[in-house]
Amino acid sequence: LLGGLIGTFSGGDYMRSSIGRIDTDMLNLFFPVLVGMMILLAFQAKKERNVLLFSLGTGGSLFLFGWWYSKPGFTMIYFLFLIFCLTISKIQIRTILLSGFLFVLFVQPANFISATDSIEGFFTAYFDVTKNSNSVIIEEKNIPATFPNVFKTISEVEHLPMSDVLRRILSNTLLGWIGFLAFFGLAIFRWRVLLPLMPLLALGLLSFQSSNRFIMYLAPFIGIGLGWLIHLVVEGTFLFSKKIISQKKTEEKLEKSDSKARRQKIDTNKKFSVLDYLVNLTTKGANFNKSSQNLTEKTKFIDQEINWWNWLRQLVLYLGMGFFFLTISSQTAISYVPGPSIHPKVYATFLEVKKRVPEGAALMTWWDYGYAITDATGMATFHDGGGISKTPKTYFIARGLISSDPEELYDITQFLATEGIPGIVENNISPEALMLAVRNPVKKPWDPIYLFFTADMTGKYGAISQLGSWDIVNGGSKPRGYRILNCYKITNLEIECRGAKIDLNVGKINKQVDLKRLIFIRNGEVIREKEFGRAQGYTIQLILAGNRIVEVQFIDEQVFQSNYNQMFLLGKYSKKLFEESYNAFPFSRLFRIKY
């Protein structure tokens, strides 16, 4: 029970599967546990019929799991565990073979065969998620150019240290360690029962080596360990109490028997008459029946007493578990209320874009909102959250957004719109040849192309820069981004922020870091700009809503000159190449590309 509660409400699972977010993780704990239960029931069954029935259920459960989460490798792993568990239970070989046949039949033979083919890739991908290729294209040819791995910019595949892994289950890491170690103590004593959960445990342990998305699989085992400790405490307390009570009753009985023996010794000294003998003889049968009746009533009383003791023990056990979870629930994500995946005002601009853009047009934007934009507008995007975001197209889109050259963004968009992935493959003879083809596209797009900026791209600029600054010759990147300052006092002379004091007269931060310029932005336009007369230095951008400053951005020169910053935040663009179609700053901004 505690494993289920902590597994459900741990940050690693609940923040990905709670109401408001439809995600495959919602049932990615349910199905492995269901399959494990089927295996447990199969190898604990006494009758052959039941063994076959639960083996069939194992295959059927995995078939449904394959529908929900298409990872064929799970099929082979659980098949091997089923056979192993049946073997150590000393079940007849004929029954094991029949169980395997029913498993394959109900999991569907095609799925089983595909699981056999993909098992090596399954292990490799799960052991190190970032080894997933960002494009199968790279594997098809001996391509000199290299492209960045998009997986490394996705938060769920980030590798975390052990303490952070446990903190995403329970904020108190000590409690997490206690539960983790306690589970392995339980596993020593009950290994046969816990054996079907081993594949799930193996996935959980990957959170220490691979990515943080595996934390959700580890959380139930920490809960099980803590639950076992509560069980031991309650059971031990009741066992100890029962022993003390039993000992006291034994002492009372001994005292009563001693006093009775003394009375009997006094009675034997009395004279025994013939009349007493006759009376005793006459009543012997009645006394025997009466004593038998007393014994029966006493036995019933003892049974009833034991039953009440057992009920009390269980009540304390479950109430104790519930109280314990309520006590630690604040250390889980139980109070987490998910906000919208997309800000409502940003989503409203999708609907407005649909009205302003002609049918058949395509939108060049960042991939995160790709599916949502297509769903809301019915228009195509250049890449989305599926496999397309993991191709070299993403590199070129990111490169165009962070470039300081508007013509480079223009050329990249034209090349991707007309040549796409096949064009990248065809021209990738060398990095130089590829870039030459991209910067000199020949064909013109048939349909209108629009450049669509959204507010989330400011926070994601670091990831965009990590991909777009990739060196396709030697590898490696130099990511840059926006640093949002937490400022609490702004005057004409200085700005005071957490960890930074900005002198607006001399243009320095903490009297050490040089500023090149200070810019005030309202409604996506520069309303005031102050230069400090330096060739090098950083830029402070202040975003205003009315007369109130709502955000202070600290950026370097490359971010300032980027197409994203110039077009979205400052409203500066080449009117020869672009035409602004819609300005909903600070939520989104739309430009038609003039082809």
Side-chain angles (χ1 to χ4, degrees):
L1 287 173
L2 201 57
L5 287 169
I6 291 179
T8 297
F9 294 110
S10 66
D13 179 62
Y14 191 62
M15 294 176 73
R16 292 183 58 82
S17 61
S18 56
I19 187 170
R21 183 185 176 102
I22 305 301
D23 193 274
T24 47
D25 287 339
M26 294 179 77
L27 292 178
N28 279 6
L29 276 177
F30 168 77
F31 277 112
V33 174
L34 175 65
V35 173
M37 186 186 73
M38 289 293 174
I39 295 175
L40 176 66
L41 293 172
F43 82 78
Q44 284 188 339
K46 303 299 181 184
K47 297 180 180 178
E48 182 186 37
R49 179 187 63 185
N50 291 339
V51 174
L52 299 177
L53 179 66
F54 291 122
S55 298
L56 176 155
T58 305
S61 300
L62 279 166
F63 175 72
L64 295 175
F65 189 27
W67 268 1
W68 178 258
Y69 188 58
S70 182
K71 296 291 182 183
F74 281 103
T75 301
M76 182 55 63
I77 297 297
Y78 277 107
F79 174 75
L80 295 174
F81 260 82
L82 174 65
I83 299 302
F84 176 72
C85 290
L86 295 179
T87 302
I88 64 173
S89 294
K90 298 180 180 179
I91 292 174
Q92 293 180 355
I93 187 67
R94 170 182 166 277
T95 306
I96 295 176
L97 292 175
L98 280 173
S99 298
F101 172 76
L102 288 173
F103 176 95
V104 174
L105 183 65
F106 273 77
V107 83
Q108 198 179 76
N111 291 339
F112 188 79
I113 293 170
S114 65
T116 307
D117 296 337
S118 65
I119 191 69
E120 183 179 351
F122 176 80
F123 275 116
T124 303
Y126 270 68
F127 191 74
D128 187 354
V129 177
T130 59
K131 285 185 179 179
N132 281 317
S133 173
N134 62 342
S135 174
V136 294
I137 299 166
I138 299 173
E139 299 174 0
E140 292 176 356
K141 287 188 176 183
N142 184 19
I143 299 174
T146 62
F147 296 100
N149 192 335
V150 178
F151 271 99
K152 292 186 177 180
T153 64
I154 301 174
S155 59
E156 71 178 58
V157 301
E158 181 186 3
H159 176 66
L160 300 175
M162 269 192 180
S163 57
D164 288 345
V165 168
L166 295 173
R167 197 171 287 114
R168 293 200 181 186
I169 298 172
L170 293 171
S171 57
N172 187 331
T173 54
L174 177 60
L175 209 57
W177 274 115
I178 291 172
F180 183 68
L181 297 175
F183 171 78
F184 283 97
L186 173 64
I188 294 172
F189 296 105
R190 301 299 301 275
W191 66 271
R192 292 175 70 91
V193 177
L194 294 172
L195 194 59
L197 289 178
M198 288 304 106
L200 191 64
L201 177 62
L203 283 177
L205 293 176
L206 281 176
S207 58
F208 294 128
Q209 191 280 329
S210 186
S211 71
N212 70 77
R213 69 161 288 114
F214 297 109
I215 294 174
M216 59 180 289
Y217 298 109
L218 180 66
F221 296 99
I222 288 179
I224 291 171
L226 292 172
W228 184 54
L229 291 179
I230 293 174
H231 174 83
L232 290 179
V233 170
V234 174
E235 293 286 352
T237 302
F238 270 80
L239 187 65
F240 182 71
S241 301
K242 193 173 182 179
K243 187 176 180 181
I244 293 175
I245 293 170
S246 178
Q247 187 175 357
K248 286 183 178 180
K249 286 184 177 181
T250 304
E251 291 174 355
E252 289 175 0
K253 287 179 181 179
L254 287 173
E255 289 178 2
K256 289 180 180 179
S257 61
D258 287 344
S259 61
K260 187 177 180 181
R262 285 194 295 271
R263 287 197 302 269
Q264 286 177 351
K265 188 174 181 181
I266 295 169
D267 291 340
T268 53
N269 296 329
K270 295 180 180 179
K271 292 182 179 179
F272 193 78
S273 63
V274 177
L275 181 61
D276 291 334
Y277 174 80
L278 292 173
V279 171
N280 185 47
L281 187 65
T282 306
T283 58
K284 187 175 182 181
N287 289 335
F288 177 77
N289 292 332
K290 189 176 181 180
S291 63
S292 298
Q293 185 179 353
N294 291 337
L295 182 63
T296 305
E297 291 177 356
K298 188 175 182 180
T299 304
K300 287 182 179 179
F301 176 77
I302 291 171
D303 290 341
Q304 188 178 13
E305 185 181 20
I306 292 171
N307 188 44
W308 276 107
W309 183 267
N310 184 50
W311 276 106
L312 180 62
R313 177 187 61 82
Q314 292 189 61
L315 182 65
V316 172
L317 180 62
Y318 295 127
L319 286 177
M321 186 276 298
F323 178 76
F324 177 77
F325 178 73
L326 287 175
T327 303
I328 67 166
S329 61
S330 59
Q331 297 179 31
T332 67
I334 194 170
S335 59
Y336 169 74
V337 178
S341 296
I342 303 173
H343 194 287
K345 291 188 177 180
V346 172
Y347 194 87
T349 66
F350 297 173
L351 303 177
E352 188 64 30
V353 166
K354 183 180 181 180
K355 299 175 185 177
R356 296 170 179 260
V357 173
E359 187 177 351
L363 298 177
M364 165 75 96
T365 186
W366 194 238
W367 65 266
D368 287 73
Y369 290 169
Y371 286 135
I373 291 172
T374 298
D375 181 61
T377 65
M379 288 180 284
T381 58
F382 278 65
H383 61 169
D384 49 47
I388 299 301
S389 66
K390 304 172 186 66
T391 67
K393 284 177 70 174
T394 295
Y395 159 72
F396 284 108
I397 293 170
R399 181 180 177 122
L401 293 174
I402 70 168
S403 172
S404 59
D405 182 3
E407 291 190 356
E408 184 171 15
L409 176 59
Y410 182 91
D411 292 339
I412 286 173
T413 306
Q414 184 176 345
F415 181 85
L416 294 179
T418 55
E419 301 291 342
I421 294 174
I424 296 173
V425 175
E426 183 181 349
N427 291 282
N428 204 359
I429 301 168
S430 68
E432 293 78 14
L434 176 60
M435 290 309 303
L436 184 64
V438 171
R439 291 304 309 271
N440 297 278
V442 177
K443 301 176 184 177
K444 293 288 183 180
W446 287 7
D447 299 310
I449 307 294
Y450 286 80
L451 187 60
F452 189 40
F453 296 107
T454 52
D456 63 296
M457 293 167 66
T458 302
K460 296 169 182 173
Y461 191 91
I464 297 172
S465 176
Q466 183 176 340
L467 299 173
S469 64
W470 180 264
D471 186 340
I472 61 174
V473 178
N474 302 311
S477 60
K478 297 178 180 179
R480 304 171 186 275
Y482 290 80
R483 182 178 174 185
I484 309 302
L485 301 180
N486 185 4
C487 300
Y488 48 86
K489 183 181 178 181
I490 300 176
T491 66
N492 293 329
L493 299 176
E494 64 180 13
I495 301 175
E496 293 187 21
C497 310
R498 183 175 296 174
K501 193 171 184 178
I502 306 168
D503 190 326
L504 300 181
N505 284 327
V506 297
K508 281 186 177 290
I509 300 176
N510 295 335
K511 298 181 180 180
Q512 294 177 341
V513 180
D514 290 335
L515 290 180
K516 186 175 181 180
R517 66 180 68 84
L518 181 72
I519 294 181
F520 292 84
I521 303 166
R522 182 191 291 135
N523 299 328
E525 294 181 357
V526 177
I527 60 171
R528 180 187 167 195
E529 182 173 353
K530 181 179 181 179
E531 296 278 352
F532 292 104
R534 296 188 180 95
Q536 302 292 329
Y538 292 90
T539 298
I540 295 290
Q541 295 186 159
L542 297 97
I543 313 296
L544 284 79
N547 294 321
R548 186 169 58 91
I549 296 173
V550 294
E551 188 169 284
V552 179
Q553 301 172 343
F554 176 68
I555 55 176
D556 65 16
E557 188 64 15
Q558 288 191 26
V559 176
F560 174 78
Q561 296 293 348
S562 69
N563 285 316
Y564 172 76
N565 190 72
Q566 291 290 315
M567 296 181 73
F568 178 63
L569 289 158
L570 307 183
K572 297 180 179 180
Y573 57 93
S574 170
K575 291 179 172 56
K576 180 181 72 172
L577 305 176
F578 307 99
E579 178 187 12
E580 187 170 40
S581 302
Y582 176 51
N583 180 8
F585 188 87
F587 304 108
S588 68
R589 205 160 189 166
L590 183 72
F591 295 88
R592 183 178 68 85
I593 306 178
K594 296 180 177 180
Y595 291 122

